[in-house]
Amino acid sequence: MSMYNSFVLFGATGDLAQHKLWPALYWLVAEGQLLDLPFIVCVGRRKMDETAYEKFVKDAVIQSVGSAFTTSIWDSLMRHTRYESGMFEDPELYTRVKSILKEQEAVRGGKSTHYFYLAVPPVHYETILTNLKDAALVGKRTGPTQSQARLLIEKPFGRDLATSEHLENVVSSLFAEEQIYRIDHYLGKQTVQNILALRFANGIVEPTWNNEFIDHVQIQLLEKDGVGSRGAFYDGVGALRDVVQNHMLQMLAFVAMEQPVSFDSMHLREARIQALMALNPIGVNDVPTNVVRGQYKGYTSEPNVARDSQTETFVALKVSLNTPRWHGVPFYLRTGKSMENSVAEISLHYKKPAVCVGPVCLFPEPQVMRNVLAIRISPDHGVGLRLMGKKPGAGLDLETLAMEEMQKPGRSRKAAYERLILDALRGDQTLFADTREVNLSWRFSTQIFEGWTSRQPPLFPYEAHTMGPNASDGLLSTDERSWYLHDR
Ligand code: BG6
């Protein structure tokens, strides 16, 4: 009996589906990566017929893929697509979805692996999962011949440790771990994966990737845009839940991990988990000195944002790891909306050489700056190195040389979703978050929420399109360091 794949996409009229998933599906087909076209059941709350839905996504795909759009590819995708509107609370919706899937099995004369993709705000997760279970659409795999279900679920998984654990209980009562694909699209990004190549394939990098040589590490995810039309999602979520708990801690794990035995799913996930386990918790009383939160001016006037909202749109934090490799090396993390520019970058700042030995100084100390190895994730992606060199002219004055190998802004964001969809179809979980990673990162973040609740540190206002509150500079300047963006 032939096998094929079906996607049941909840949240089919949402931002994520429209701007990321559909363009990713389009590219996968256009580039010949999905030879067996999956059957796609799109589920959304908005009432519309299939023609209207097609137009809705087609416009977004054309906008995204530009001149690469061809009608024949689009039509082939649409031949395998259905749209079904309904409320997620309504059991009838699931009965209809089930019969659509059954009909298709009869048409194709085969069994389908169903991928349930929850591209919806997390408040709907439990409702959808319970209804899927009641409709007998999901259940733990019991035998190789049974049509099996898989779950693709977007972050944030919960709001804190307790809600995340509750959600994990629901999910794990319905799916075995190998059926669950927790998406953190930063794991799908080429440059994040490139950290592994950079570290483990270069004789000059890995030997110096430790506290003997590194002074500190910075991880930044800065966005020029404010919350725009996403106020309803973002308000009450905030920067810590939206990107620190997941994307930024995942980047940290890639930087901080020990060498995995291999790059297979089990070993790579284990290495990330060990790194997160080594993260020193920020105790409730240390939150005011180690974490800075801010909100851009004008945020409370954004659509669907509470006028008295205390949601943070900026957060900077200083963290440390309890391993021999990283003992004494602070990691500074900074993220914000409505920043001066959009850039995601990791930088490793090397210790300065000893230019002064006793009374003899080869170079005047202030001229010597730290070497920096920068890994740019967006908008362009690549690697940069700050070295010291001689200023042209008489004397031996120094200047910085910024060497870099950057690729132009490209399809890196879409590529992340393409890669993840493809990996899920192949059953490769390497680039998906394991339940233990999610748990550890919530454990760490929840202590910060607790510190905010009990210690009530200030929520600093900052001007839109700046680098955030001054207090975030203070976090580094007290350690005689400063924020760095390569070549900016
Ligand atoms: C998402 C967050 O997960 O990541 C958004 O919900 C954020 O708020 C986005 O803008 C950043 O991703 P990227 O790929 O644009 O850097």
Side-chain angles (χ1 to χ4, degrees), residues 24-137:
L25 283 166
Y26 180 89
W27 280 117
L28 286 173
V29 177
E31 290 175 353
Q33 309 235 40
L34 270 189
L35 293 177
D36 278 336
L37 285 185
F39 180 59
I40 308 171
V41 185
C42 297
V43 182
R45 282 179 294 177
R46 275 190 236 178
K47 276 210 172 339
M48 56 171 100
D49 61 17
E50 272 173 11
T51 320
Y53 182 69
E54 175 179 346
K55 179 168 173 12
F56 175 78
V57 281
K58 187 176 178 182
D59 291 347
V61 170
I62 291 177
Q63 204 186 1
S64 169
V65 310
S67 58
F69 186 88
T70 66
T71 310
S72 60
I73 291 172
W74 182 250
D75 288 348
S76 67
L77 251 170
M78 281 299 121
R79 270 197 296 280
H80 297 84
T81 301
R82 303 282 178 279
Y83 179 75
E84 190 61 39
S85 72
M87 301 308 284
F88 301 144
E89 300 76 20
D90 179 11
E92 289 295 309
L93 170 65
Y94 302 83
T95 315
R96 294 200 297 277
V97 168
K98 192 171 182 174
S99 62
I100 295 172
L101 292 169
K102 275 227 151 71
E103 267 165 37
Q104 189 61 205
E105 285 193 340
V107 171
R108 295 216 187 186
K111 273 257 173 253
S112 149
T113 301
H114 303 329
Y115 287 82
F116 295 98
Y117 195 136
L118 308 195
V120 295
V123 294
H124 301 298
Y125 289 169
E126 199 168 344
T127 311
I128 295 173
L129 289 167
T130 312
N131 277 292
L132 286 173
K133 176 179 142 220
D134 292 347
L137 275 163

Side-chain angles (χ1 to χ4, degrees), residues 155 185-186 189 223 230 233 242-243 247 337 413:
K155 45 104 329 209
H185 77 276
Y186 263 67
K189 290 195 186 246
E223 296 180 281
R230 293 176 73 229
F233 160 80
D242 187 37
V243 297
H247 305 331
K337 298 271 186 203
R413 176 172 184 146

